[in-house]
Amino acid sequence: MKSMFLSESRKETQVHDFNPQSWLQVERGKLMKLSSYSPSSIESLIKLLEPPILPYFKPVDYVSVLAQIHEELEQCKPEEKSDRYLLQYHVFRGLGETKLLRRSLHSAWKHSTTVYEKIIYGTWLRYEKQGEEFITDLLSSCGKCCRELEPVDVVSEIPAGASVPVCETSTSSNVQEEATMVSFQIGEEMVICERHKISSLSIPFHTMLNGPFTETNLEVIDLSENGISAAGMRCIANFSVTGVLAGNGLSADFLLEILVFANKFCCEKLKEACDRKLASLVCSRQDAIELITCALEENAPVLVATCMQVLLRELPNCLADEQVLKFFSNVNKEQQYAMVGRAAFPFYSLLSEVSMKTDPTSEKTVRFVERMVESAVGASQKQIAYHQLGCVRFLRKEYGEAVRAFNAALSSGHVYSIAGIARVACLRGNTVLAFEKLTSVISSYQPLGWMFLERSLYTNANRKLEDLDMATELDPTLTYPYMYRAINLLKKQVPKAALDEVNRILGFKMALECLELRFCIHLVMENYDLALRDVHAVLTLAPGYRMVEGRVEASKIATLLSAQVDKWSSADCWMHLYERWSAVDDVGSLSVIFQMMETDAPKGVLYFRQSLLLLRLNCPEAAMRSLQLARQHACSEHERLIYEGWLLYDTGHCQEALLKAEESIGKQRSFEAFFLKAYVLADSGMDPSCSVTCISLLEEALKCPSDRLRKGQALNNLGGVYLDCEKLDLAADCYTSALKIRHTRAHQGLARVHFLKNKRVAAFEEMTQLIETAKSNASAYEKRSEYCDREQTMKDLEMVTRLDPLRVYPYRYRAAVLMDSRKEKEAIAELTHAIAFKADLYLLHLRAAFHEHIGDLQSALQDCRAALSLDPNHQEMLELHKRVHNQETITGFDTM
């Protein structure tokens, strides 16, 4: 969604229409020289849009919000829990934590107390996991199901007779009555019924047939004007005797006729039977559309819920249906309650999110977000809804309405909405006001990266760079500051420095826009091989990506560049892959694999290798897609089972992954099958005594044919198991063997062996070799820091933070050193700095412990609760929370 929220701005770099052929012009087999390009020509190649205003809930202090939600979950009523988990979902959405937001949705589903909530949250989970439906199929093949992704059994969720009053007039006497008949005339036909049975259907019928009315003494009663056919009345007569709507092939129209009649005469049991029978006939979107209006009019809850489920399970496609769209956006309050009960806010939150991803500027998006605003209850829901509405209005250039919505969000407490207010002020020519608003926010709250980034948009060049530097210091994950600095350096004819700048963020965050920028810098530097490498990386991450402001397909640019670089044979590709893999050059390895896809090499194996690299680059969604492709292109059944095992393992289904590995081994003993089984056993911790089994499995794997890349990994893993078993010599042998076939990461394991043998200098030197060899070496610096004196440790950890500021160990170490030096405030500040942009349990755990140590029990308890929102089952965190909570309770009691 982020790419959709590119802002409108008067400050965008001005560019000319761009034709890729102008800079990839082929003349006699050579690219046009780019060294002569002027800064203005560079602007025609690169355009930097202002950062988007994200349509997410972004509280200034997300820790306190998570802590409050956790506390409320402990105290609120069961029917209120799903709303709290939905708010937690929105917090994690704003933090970009995909796994955590899915867990929150699952918790909301699990704690749903109405059928409407179960349908909405089940649908939402299903929508979030689009493209992963195959996991459900794989689990089914292992005898396991995902209940939350299956349709809700609406009939069982709305118990029979729950809303059907007993007609006491028909059951108050046990005296055997003589069966008397009554005839109902409908047009020219007569329908004969048992008077007593018909009167038992409802109080109105009982009164009509047994009360002081004319009909009481009639043997024939005319019902011709009551909207029921003779066939319908015969069905009702039969129901009055049997209690069943008999007859095969009862049509929807026929049942609707009876339903309307049942409602008119208050025949609740008959109405319920019609409701359930009609619900069983809803099989398609068209069925649901045709029946839901009548279901609402006749108050048929099972039919309404069934129709809603059918429609929602077709998201997002059903929103392209005008009938569905009109229905969802135009219902009145009474109809809305019948549709979703008290779950209107989650319902319209879901529809808004789906619609915004499809087209954030459409009329339907506006309508859904407006309905979300209308259904918002409480400050938090209003912050979420009004801010989203402001973003949508802003994108539609409806600036007056946008400001009103942003102001409403701000008034409810959503400080981030000030960014939207400032943007509009700037667009209206009031840059000073925009600057002042951001300055006020910075001085009023704990400064965050986005505040300085936003203010930088309204300052001169020098002040802009200062604010962007501060934005990066406070939140190194923001991409815009790096890109602005890189382009600024490029305009100053310092392309090497520009490249270094963009490499800073690409070292830990594979942002497509940054890869595209680096591609452009390589073009300016005439490094066409590296430019092609980055285009290959882009296409691996997003196969349909369009570059140059979305005007050119990345695949076409790759084709143009490919004509200007040397062609590799299949043997060349394997050689380059081996070299780059050994150098821990993950992006380079991706590029080689991309080129190998065009050869006759087995595609399944290549996609599998691609998925491994993508996981190392922290691109789990792209890795999942590659694994699916590996499964589709598997050359044999036993190979397909291996990829299915990895898919199951990567989605947290370890036991099922083991079953797939064993099934594959049963069909053919292979390196990958044994490796998979050993990996899952070792990593899942299913059996503490599984080390012997893992060793045996890895030894079997090494006996099977494979290439040196995978054998090196197996040897490295085997060394790790020996290390865990304290068999240091055997571990050293494995690591040494892995290094002989250039598995570079084995340096790390061998360093650990040296350290455990009290050879600290050898361990340091081993890690230094890894640092010198590996292109991606943040983790190597982190490991080396364990084998040196404090001064060198601090230097190594500073380097880790520069290379990858998302690694949390350096912050924790520095904080611990400060705490040991009795610099409590500085220690807590070090952790607070990282927590602001990285929601991490271990950072929160350590800060909670520090707060407890200095006697700030309230802050400690807040951190404990926030940490447990990240991992509710973390044992050490649970123990600390219990201890702090008990202390806080005692302290509170003492001060009363």
Side-chain angles (χ1 to χ4, degrees):
M1 186 186 290
K2 187 173 180 178
S3 62
M4 296 182 181
F5 287 85
L6 298 173
S7 64
E8 299 290 336
S9 173
R10 65 177 185 82
K11 290 189 170 186
E12 289 175 356
T13 306
Q14 296 299 310
V15 299
H16 307 290
D17 287 339
F18 187 80
N19 178 3
Q21 292 288 357
S22 67
W23 45 267
L24 287 176
Q25 188 173 352
V26 181
E27 293 182 1
R28 297 176 184 174
K30 292 185 179 180
L31 280 171
M32 187 176 182
K33 291 288 182 183
L34 290 169
S35 56
S36 60
Y37 272 39
S38 65
S40 61
S41 299
I42 289 170
E43 288 184 0
S44 70
L45 182 64
I46 304 166
K47 178 178 180 179
L48 180 61
L49 296 175
E50 282 187 354
I53 303 171
L54 300 176
Y56 304 136
F57 182 46
K58 294 179 72 67
V60 170
D61 183 4
Y62 75 85
V63 172
S64 65
V65 176
L66 286 175
Q68 183 180 349
I69 294 169
H70 186 271
E71 183 178 9
E72 290 174 358
L73 282 167
E74 293 178 328
Q75 300 171 356
C76 68
K77 298 174 183 177
E79 61 269 22
E80 296 173 341
K81 286 184 181 290
S82 60
D83 282 344
R84 301 302 189 279
Y85 281 115
L86 176 59
L87 179 57
Q88 190 183 75
Y89 160 87
H90 280 292
V91 175
F92 290 139
R93 172 66 79 190
L95 292 170
E97 296 287 348
T98 303
K99 284 187 177 180
L100 294 178
L101 69 85
R102 286 186 176 184
R103 197 197 65 213
S104 294
L105 277 181
H106 186 272
S107 296
W109 170 82
K110 184 178 178 181
H111 289 87
S112 296
T113 56
T114 68
V115 66
Y116 311 108
E117 289 176 332
K118 289 181 181 179
I119 289 171
I120 291 166
Y121 289 119
T123 299
W124 207 332
L125 274 169
R126 191 167 179 265
Y127 176 74
E128 277 289 333
K129 295 184 178 183
Q130 281 184 109
E132 297 179 27
E133 293 83 359
F134 64 93
I135 294 294
T136 303
D137 297 335
L138 292 180
L139 289 171
S140 296
S141 70
C142 300
K144 186 177 179 180
C145 66
C146 292
R147 285 183 54 237
E148 67 272 20
L149 301 182
E150 295 179 345
V152 175
D153 184 356
V154 175
V155 171
S156 66
E157 291 291 334
I158 303 178
S163 61
V164 180
V166 176
C167 184
E168 295 183 6
T169 55
S170 64
T171 59
S172 59
S173 174
N174 293 322
V175 177
Q176 184 69 39
E177 297 183 31
E178 182 181 351
T180 58
M181 311 306 288
V182 62
S183 297
F184 293 101
Q185 182 173 349
I186 299 169
E188 300 297 323
E189 297 188 55
M190 289 286 185
V191 179
I192 302 172
C193 307
E194 288 188 40
R195 181 182 291 269
H196 174 66
K197 295 295 185 182
I198 288 293
S199 70
S200 70
L201 288 177
S202 70
I203 293 174
F205 264 126
H206 178 84
T207 304
M208 179 174 69
L209 296 176
N210 299 293
F213 297 101
T214 305
E215 290 87 351
T216 302
N217 300 313
L218 295 177
E219 294 185 1
V220 177
I221 300 173
D222 192 348
L223 287 182
S224 299
E225 303 300 322
N226 284 277
I228 191 71
S229 66
M233 197 62 211
R234 278 191 286 272
C235 187
I236 293 169
N238 184 67
F239 179 84
S240 72
V241 176
T242 65
V244 177
L245 281 172
N248 294 324
L250 297 178
S251 71
D253 288 340
F254 183 71
L255 289 167
L256 283 173
E257 175 190 318
I258 298 173
L259 176 64
V260 173
F261 182 85
N263 238 353
K264 185 174 183 178
F265 286 89
C266 304
C267 305
E268 293 299 334
K269 287 188 177 180
L270 176 61
K271 173 188 169 181
E272 184 181 79
C274 286
D275 184 15
R276 291 167 183 269
K277 192 73 171 178
L278 279 164
S280 69
L281 301 180
V282 182
C283 301
S284 67
R285 183 198 306 175
Q286 196 56 43
D287 292 339
I289 292 170
E290 291 174 356
L291 291 172
I292 194 165
T293 302
C294 186
L296 288 170
E297 290 173 354
E298 301 302 327
N299 190 24
V302 176
L303 181 56
V304 169
T306 302
C307 291
M308 287 293 293
Q309 177 162 248
V310 168
L311 294 175
L312 289 177
R313 285 181 71 82
E314 289 198 22
L315 285 174
N317 297 335
C318 71
L319 295 186
D321 190 314
E322 285 299 323
Q323 291 176 285
V324 176
L325 186 59
K326 184 178 179 180
F327 176 74
F328 281 164
S329 59
N330 293 335
V331 290
N332 59 38
K333 289 287 185 182
E334 185 179 350
Q335 291 172 322
Q336 178 182 290
Y337 188 81
M339 285 165 49
V340 295
R342 56 183 183 79
F345 184 79
F347 174 61
Y348 284 111
S349 292
L350 169 60
L351 294 184
S352 297
E353 182 168 313
V354 173
S355 189
M356 289 175 84
K357 285 185 178 180
T358 306
D359 182 0
T361 62
S362 68
E363 287 292 338
K364 67 182 176 184
T365 301
V366 173
R367 190 65 189 128
F368 288 147
V369 180
E370 285 178 337
R371 295 306 295 262
M372 182 167 63
V373 168
E374 293 169 8
S375 60
V377 178
S380 296
Q381 290 187 0
K382 288 178 181 178
Q383 290 177 46
I384 294 163
Y386 277 118
H387 181 71
Q388 281 197 19
L389 182 58
C391 290
V392 172
R393 293 293 190 188
F394 183 80
L395 287 173
R396 288 164 60 91
K397 301 183 181 179
E398 298 167 354
Y399 299 125
E401 292 88 341
V403 168
R404 280 191 287 275
F406 284 133
N407 271 320
L410 182 61
S411 297
S412 298
H414 196 243
V415 178
Y416 178 64
S417 295
I418 200 74
I421 296 169
R423 296 285 180 97
V424 174
C426 181
L427 286 165
R428 289 172 169 174
N430 201 338
T431 306
V432 174
L433 177 62
F435 177 84
E436 289 174 349
K437 284 188 176 294
L438 268 304
T439 300
S440 175
V441 167
I442 289 169
S443 62
S444 302
Y445 298 92
Q446 178 71 30
L448 296 173
W450 68 261
M451 298 175 184
F452 285 92
L453 186 155
E454 290 296 326
R455 192 174 72 173
S456 75
L457 305 177
Y458 316 117
T459 59
N460 58 35
N462 291 333
R463 182 64 180 270
K464 185 183 185 78
L465 285 170
E466 289 178 13
D467 275 357
L468 289 176
D469 288 344
M470 181 59 71
T472 297
E473 181 179 333
L474 293 172
D475 186 352
T477 67
L478 298 170
T479 60
Y480 179 86
Y482 300 94
M483 296 178 71
Y484 179 88
R485 289 189 291 262
I487 291 172
N488 195 45
L489 289 164
L490 202 55
K491 289 177 183 177
K492 292 179 180 178
Q493 303 287 334
V494 195
K496 178 64 171 64
L499 186 61
D500 290 342
E501 182 63 34
V502 78
N503 278 338
R504 284 176 63 194
I505 189 164
L506 285 172
F508 65 91
K509 184 177 181 179
M510 294 298 290
L512 290 169
E513 63 270 27
C514 294
L515 280 169
E516 183 175 355
L517 175 56
R518 189 169 72 177
F519 149 78
C520 293
I521 296 171
H522 282 310
L523 279 185
V524 171
M525 298 175 71
E526 299 182 20
N527 293 330
Y528 305 127
D529 286 340
L530 294 178
L532 182 60
R533 175 204 65 183
D534 285 341
V535 179
H536 286 161
V538 166
L539 287 167
T540 302
L541 290 170
Y545 190 78
R546 299 179 70 87
M547 301 174 76
V548 195
E549 303 169 62
R551 294 203 299 270
V552 187
E553 293 178 5
S555 57
K556 289 186 178 179
I557 292 177
T559 301
L560 289 168
L561 276 172
S562 295
Q564 307 309 310
V565 299
D566 294 336
K567 299 287 184 182
W568 291 346
S569 66
S570 181
D572 291 334
C573 285
W574 279 108
M575 180 188 71
H576 284 290
L577 179 62
Y578 184 58
E579 289 175 350
R580 295 185 188 186
W581 200 291
S582 299
V584 198
D585 178 5
D586 296 333
V587 176
S589 299
L590 279 179
S591 178
V592 177
I593 288 176
F594 191 93
Q595 294 177 70
M596 292 174 76
M597 293 292 183
E598 300 175 358
T599 69
D600 57 358
K603 299 293 187 293
V605 172
L606 293 177
Y607 280 121
F608 176 58
R609 300 291 172 86
Q610 190 180 78
S611 73
L612 298 176
L613 291 165
L614 289 167
L615 282 176
R616 290 212 306 235
L617 290 166
N618 195 28
C619 302
E621 292 179 5
M624 182 70 72
R625 184 175 62 246
S626 294
L627 260 182
Q628 290 181 59
L629 289 167
R631 180 191 180 213
Q632 292 172 19
H633 289 84
C635 297
S636 62
E637 188 177 358
H638 82 268
E639 183 185 348
R640 176 180 57 78
L641 289 166
I642 291 164
Y643 302 143
E644 289 179 354
W646 283 113
L647 284 164
L648 289 164
Y649 172 76
D650 287 344
T651 50
H653 303 287
C654 295
Q655 190 61 55
E656 291 72 27
L658 281 175
L659 291 175
K660 292 291 182 181
E662 290 163 0
E663 189 178 351
S664 179
I665 292 169
K667 293 185 179 297
Q668 181 171 323
R669 297 166 64 84
S670 68
F671 172 91
E672 293 295 352
F674 282 116
F675 185 92
L676 169 62
K677 186 174 180 181
Y679 192 95
V680 175
L681 274 176
D683 197 51
S684 63
M686 288 181 177
D687 183 357
S689 62
C690 68
S691 297
V692 175
T693 306
C694 288
I695 290 170
S696 174
L697 289 167
L698 288 169
E699 287 175 343
E700 288 297 322
L702 289 165
K703 294 175 185 176
C704 300
S706 187
D707 58 71
R708 288 184 293 178
L709 293 176
R710 297 299 285 158
K711 294 244 178 183
Q713 184 65 62
L715 285 165
N716 192 62
N717 288 16
L718 183 56
V721 179
Y722 280 133
L723 204 58
D724 291 339
C725 298
E726 300 181 357
K727 298 178 179 180
L728 301 185
D729 291 335
L730 290 173
D733 291 343
C734 288
Y735 291 131
T736 302
S737 297
L739 287 169
K740 286 178 181 177
I741 54 177
R742 295 179 63 187
H743 185 78
T744 310
R745 284 187 170 84
H747 282 298
Q748 184 170 310
L750 193 54
R752 192 67 186 165
V753 172
H754 291 321
F755 178 74
L756 293 173
K757 289 183 174 182
N758 295 316
K759 298 178 181 179
R760 197 184 187 98
V761 174
F764 179 86
E765 291 173 350
E766 198 71 45
M767 290 307 301
T768 301
Q769 291 184 59
L770 176 56
I771 288 169
E772 292 170 349
T773 305
K775 187 174 180 66
S776 177
N777 53 19
S779 63
Y781 275 106
E782 184 172 293
K783 277 296 176 184
R784 191 178 74 171
S785 72
E786 299 177 22
Y787 310 133
C788 45
D789 59 41
R790 176 169 287 189
E791 183 179 353
Q792 184 61 47
T793 294
M794 294 296 280
K795 289 180 180 178
D796 278 359
L797 293 180
E798 286 296 337
M799 179 62 75
V800 174
T801 299
R802 282 201 294 274
L803 293 172
D804 185 355
L806 294 180
R807 299 185 78 90
V808 301
Y809 175 73
Y811 303 103
R812 295 169 63 216
Y813 182 89
R814 288 190 290 264
V817 169
L818 288 165
M819 203 67 177
D820 286 344
S821 304
R822 297 185 179 180
K823 297 179 179 179
E824 292 91 349
K825 289 183 179 179
E826 292 87 343
I828 290 172
E830 177 72 20
L831 296 173
T832 300
H833 167 67
I835 289 168
F837 61 84
K838 173 73 172 176
D840 181 80
L841 180 138
Y842 298 103
L843 292 173
L844 287 165
H845 187 187
L846 187 57
R847 191 172 73 171
F850 286 178
H851 282 309
E852 181 196 24
H853 177 73
I854 65 174
D856 186 353
L857 297 178
Q858 193 170 6
S859 295
L861 190 58
Q862 179 174 278
D863 282 347
C864 288
R865 286 170 171 156
L868 289 171
S869 299
L870 305 180
D871 184 356
N873 301 312
H874 191 270
Q875 193 57 43
E876 289 182 22
M877 200 70 247
L878 287 167
E879 291 171 3
L880 178 58
H881 173 257
K882 182 179 179 180
R883 185 172 73 241
V884 172
H885 185 268
N886 289 340
Q887 291 179 63
E888 206 261 349
T889 302
I890 293 169
T891 304
F893 181 78
D894 289 342
T895 58
M896 289 178 67

